Structures are given as structure tokens and as C-alpha cells.
Amino acid sequence: PISEKAAGAKRSIDWPRVILFGVGLNLMLVLLFPPMENYYAVTRSALPSFDGFYFLFGDHGARAIVPQMLYIEVIFILVNGALLYLLLRKGGGVELTPAQRAKTAKPVDDPEWRKWMNQSFYVRQGVSFHEMNDRQREAAYNLMRAGLSAKGLQLTRDIMRLNENLAEITNHREEHGEWRYHITVMGEPSATQPWGWQLDGHHAIINYFVLGDQVVMTPTFAGSEPVFAAAGKYKGTTVLQDEQNRGLAMINALDPGQRGKAILKVSKTGNEVLTEAWRDNVVLDYAGLNAKDMSTAQRQQLLDLVALYVDNMAEGHARVKMNDVRKHLDRTWFAWMGGTGANEVFYYRIHSPVILIEFDHQTPATLRYLYANPKQPRIDHIHTVVRTPNGNDYGKDLLRQHYQAAHVPAR
């Protein structure tokens, strides 16, 4: 990968810092030299009687104001306002340097969409939060806020924080840490033309395709090891507990006959997830219990479980997606592997023509050295994947239809 030093070889002026320096200098002059007569005298002589910050602390009730200095300081205040306006206006413009933009901007149909991976050692494309300044990070968060719900953004940020916790535990900061996540933008952001963005990092991958008012937010990957920070900077942070606990409640809400259909394996000795990176075109048969064989209450419980994942999207798009899920409920299947008791490890899958969700307790990976049996899955390492079956991951089907309507050959 390109080093930060090489990428920044052609340095640009840090205008926000220049503006803030100018504002600070102006304010210092106003405070040091208020428009009083003794300071007017100071401007024409040495400073033997200068009493410093007189405007704030001195007895200035009987001092006369010098109009000339007052006018100058009014000008200083106006200049401060103009500089701050430029600073705030700058925050709404181009946030990345030319070198960063060159790494981050890709065509909308670029193969980069499919080059994501969960593992921390993977060499990623785009610009990382690690190499962004604070303003650039906030711009990246604003991009995510525009597409995710508050819940979805919270989950993503907490995964990033737990990756910082993992760095504290292992001291492997070249691989782990809160900022080891990359942003890539495909196409030009537009209200009418296709475009999208990708977040790629350890245990957090979001592929977000936009075409007008239509959105596809798959594949998404959310996970963590550990899932709870027992100590450190983000002590108390935890993720994916609702997805775990409500999945367990779902299997235990079934009667014995239904559980006999849903449970594919009663033990779980390894990793079961099937649709992680590099599995875009996996052919997966329906398995488990069909939702049409569930009671009304059970069907609603299954929909509520699906909504935990779908509701990571912004509210309006999540509502559209859930309507689609409901339309295909009779063709939705729920499958289970593993135990059904508290603190037991398990895997579950929800599969229909319009959504595929996997939840898996994984074997230890980065923290395997902590356990006597690192080949046994544990509840403190979770992977989840959400996909759109039948060719619409990454918005591929929407993009194909768009190209057909515009008579543009798809790549």
C-alpha cells in the first residue's frame, strides 16, 4: 500500500489551521489593546506602564474611548466573522486532498465493490480513518449518518471501538484499532444517477448502493472479537447481543415438531457461516422451518428478528425493505445449528428470495491464545452477514436495469 508520506508528498495548505490562527491573532489584539486612551498612547511609545488585558480586568470606567482604535477593532471583529464563515463554509466543500480522492473515488461499476474482507490483515483500498484528520472523519461519519439509522451508526461505531479494545489487548496496532477502516466512493454522488460507498474494515463492512430513491445495503458484515469490552478506553461497549438473544428466543418459541425441522445440527464444533467475503454467487438451498408453518405470533417474532438487521438502514429505506420481506414471508425459512440454552453457541440463518441473514458464534481468532481449546466456538466472537439473494447484492440488478434503460452496456 502507498505510504502516508508518499501519498502526502504534494502537500496542500491546511486552510482551517490558517483561518483559526488568524482569528486567534485578531482576538488577541482586541483583548490586549482595547480602544482606550492609554492604549492609544501605547501605540506611539514604549510600554513601561502597560498593565495588560486592561479591557478585562482594569478600572476603565473613567477612561475615554479613542474612536480610531474602536473603528479598527470593529474591523477586526468583522474580519473574524468573515474568517469563521469561510471556515464553516470550507467544512461543506471537498474534504479530501487530491491524493486521498485519487485513492477513494472509483467508477460505480468498479470491481472494488467485491474486494472486501473481514480479516484485519487484508490490504484495503480507499482512504482510512487512520489517515484522516478530525474534519475528514466527521465528513465520513456524516456520509454514514445519511445512509444508516441511529442504531446502525451506533453498531458500526461500537464495532470500531471494540477493535480499539482488541488493539489494547493484543498491542497489534498495525492491524487493529478504532481507525483501521477504509471508505471508498463508487461513482459521483447524485440524486438521479447510480453511485454508492463502501466501509471496509475488521468486523465492519457496509456496501451501500444508491439509485435515485432506491437503496441496496448489502452485503453487510457486522461482528466482533470480543463482543464486550471489559476494560480499556471503551469499557462497557458491547455489540450484537439483541441479535444473539432474540435468535435464541426464536428457536425456543417453536414447539418440538417445529424445532425438529428448524434444527439442522444439535451440536456446533466449528464456524458455519457460508456467505462471507468471496462468496458473492454462492448457491444456497432453503433449509429449516418454513415460516408458513409458524403461528401468527411466531411469524411476527421472525419478522422482528429480521428487522433487527434491516433497521440498521435509514428508516424510510428500512420500511421499504421490510415490506418486501413481509411479501415473501411464506417463502422464508429459519434454520438453526447448535445449542438452545443460555450461554451455548449456535448458528442461525433466515433465508428468503429477498434477504439472507446469518448469525454465527465463531471460534477464537485473534484471541485464540487465551483459550485452552481454540477450536471451540465461543459466544464472545460473533459474525453476522446480510445479503440480497438473486443477484442484487451491491445493487447489481438495479444497476443492470439502469444500464438497460439508458442503453449502456454493463461491465
Side-chain angles (χ1 to χ4, degrees):
I2 301 173
S3 69
E4 291 181 36
K5 189 175 288 185
K10 187 177 179 179
R11 294 186 177 275
S12 59
I13 298 173
D14 188 352
W15 286 110
R17 186 169 295 179
V18 172
I19 291 171
L20 287 174
F21 177 81
V23 170
L25 180 61
N26 280 344
L27 290 175
M28 183 183 71
L29 291 173
V30 169
L31 289 173
L32 284 176
F33 300 102
M36 304 296 179
E37 59 186 3
N38 62 324
Y39 291 94
Y40 182 65
V42 162
T43 62
R44 296 174 298 172
S45 63
L47 304 173
S49 62
F50 180 62
D51 56 356
F53 292 97
Y54 169 84
F55 186 64
L56 293 180
F57 304 116
D59 178 15
H60 56 278
R63 306 294 178 94
I65 293 177
V66 179
Q68 296 93 322
M69 291 191 70
L70 177 62
Y71 297 151
I72 291 174
E73 293 186 6
V74 168
I75 291 172
F76 278 165
I77 291 171
L78 292 174
V79 169
N80 287 340
L83 289 172
L84 288 172
Y85 169 77
L86 289 174
L87 179 61
L88 294 173
R89 187 168 179 267
K90 177 73 176 173
V94 176
E95 295 293 339
L96 299 180
T97 67
Q100 289 171 325
R101 285 176 63 86
K103 292 196 299 180
T104 302
K106 306 284 183 182
V108 69
D109 52 2
D110 196 272
E112 174 58 29
W113 278 113
R114 301 178 63 183
K115 296 179 181 178
W116 58 271
M117 191 174 185
N118 167 55
Q119 280 84 348
S120 58
F121 57 78
Y122 185 57
V123 179
R124 307 176 196 279
Q125 303 300 310
V127 60
S128 74
F129 283 79
H130 181 71
E131 58 189 299
M132 295 179 191
N133 59 39
D134 289 343
R135 292 177 66 250
Q136 291 170 335
R137 286 175 186 161
E138 187 58 30
Y141 291 144
N142 285 338
L143 175 64
M144 294 163 63
R145 285 188 187 100
L148 304 179
S149 64
K151 171 182 173 292
L153 183 63
Q154 182 71 42
L155 172 62
T156 306
R157 287 293 290 118
D158 283 345
I159 291 171
M160 296 169 72
R161 292 176 179 120
L162 285 169
N163 204 41
E164 177 69 21
N165 184 244
L166 185 61
E168 292 172 335
I169 294 170
T170 65
N171 203 32
H172 292 165
R173 292 197 169 273
E174 68 282 358
E175 286 190 22
H176 308 122
E178 183 176 3
W179 307 129
R180 298 292 181 181
Y181 295 83
H182 290 65
I183 290 281
T184 310
V185 177
M186 280 61 157
E188 282 290 324
S190 168
T192 58
Q193 297 302 306
W195 70 284
W197 55 270
Q198 180 186 78
L199 174 74
D200 187 10
H202 189 213
H203 283 134
I205 294 99
I206 300 172
N207 291 283
Y208 199 97
F209 175 85
V210 182
L211 177 57
D213 60 356
Q214 300 177 91
V215 164
V216 177
M217 199 178 88
T218 60
T220 58
F221 182 109
S224 191
E225 181 193 27
V227 297
F228 174 74
K233 181 178 180 181
Y234 295 118
K235 180 180 178 180
T237 301
T238 187
V239 295
L240 299 170
Q241 297 306 287
D242 281 346
E243 291 81 354
Q244 170 186 272
N245 297 337
R246 291 203 201 174
L248 188 60
M250 184 73 236
I251 190 65
N252 286 319
L254 304 179
D255 64 38
Q258 291 171 319
R259 291 174 67 173
K261 293 179 180 179
I263 298 175
L264 307 182
K265 291 196 304 183
V266 296
S267 63
K268 187 180 189 305
T269 57
N271 300 333
E272 303 291 352
V273 68
L274 298 172
T275 61
E276 292 185 350
W278 318 113
R279 303 298 305 277
D280 286 336
N281 297 310
V282 63
V283 177
L284 190 59
D285 293 332
Y286 294 119
L289 176 66
N290 193 312
K292 67 182 179 182
D293 296 326
M294 296 180 182
S295 69
T296 300
Q298 290 168 339
R299 286 159 66 91
Q300 185 58 53
Q301 191 170 353
L302 182 63
L303 286 171
D304 291 343
L305 182 57
V306 172
L308 275 180
Y309 297 86
V310 174
D311 285 350
N312 290 322
M313 302 171 69
E315 181 181 356
H317 297 302
R319 190 184 313 116
V320 170
K321 183 66 177 181
M322 285 305 300
N323 287 339
D324 207 17
V325 170
R326 288 186 186 92
K327 290 176 184 177
H328 295 84
L329 188 56
D330 282 349
R331 300 174 63 191
T332 302
W333 298 73
F334 178 71
W336 186 274
M337 301 181 194
T340 59
N343 297 319
E344 290 191 272
V345 295
F346 54 81
Y347 161 94
Y348 67 80
R349 179 168 73 238
I350 302 169
H351 190 189
S352 84
V354 295
I355 197 164
L356 172 60
I357 298 170
E358 292 189 281
F359 175 102
D360 196 29
H361 286 128
Q362 295 263 302
T363 57
T366 306
L367 300 180
R368 58 188 174 274
Y369 65 90
L370 296 177
Y371 305 107
N373 182 8
K375 295 183 179 181
Q376 175 62 39
R378 301 187 61 87
I379 62 173
D380 60 354
H381 187 191
I382 294 174
H383 285 188
T384 68
V385 182
V386 181
R387 284 187 176 267
T388 304
N390 300 315
N392 204 27
D393 271 340
Y394 316 102
K396 284 289 188 181
D397 192 49
L398 281 179
L399 186 61
R400 177 186 59 79
Q401 295 176 42
H402 173 77
Y403 282 153
Q404 286 180 344
H407 306 290
V408 176
R411 293 204 297 181

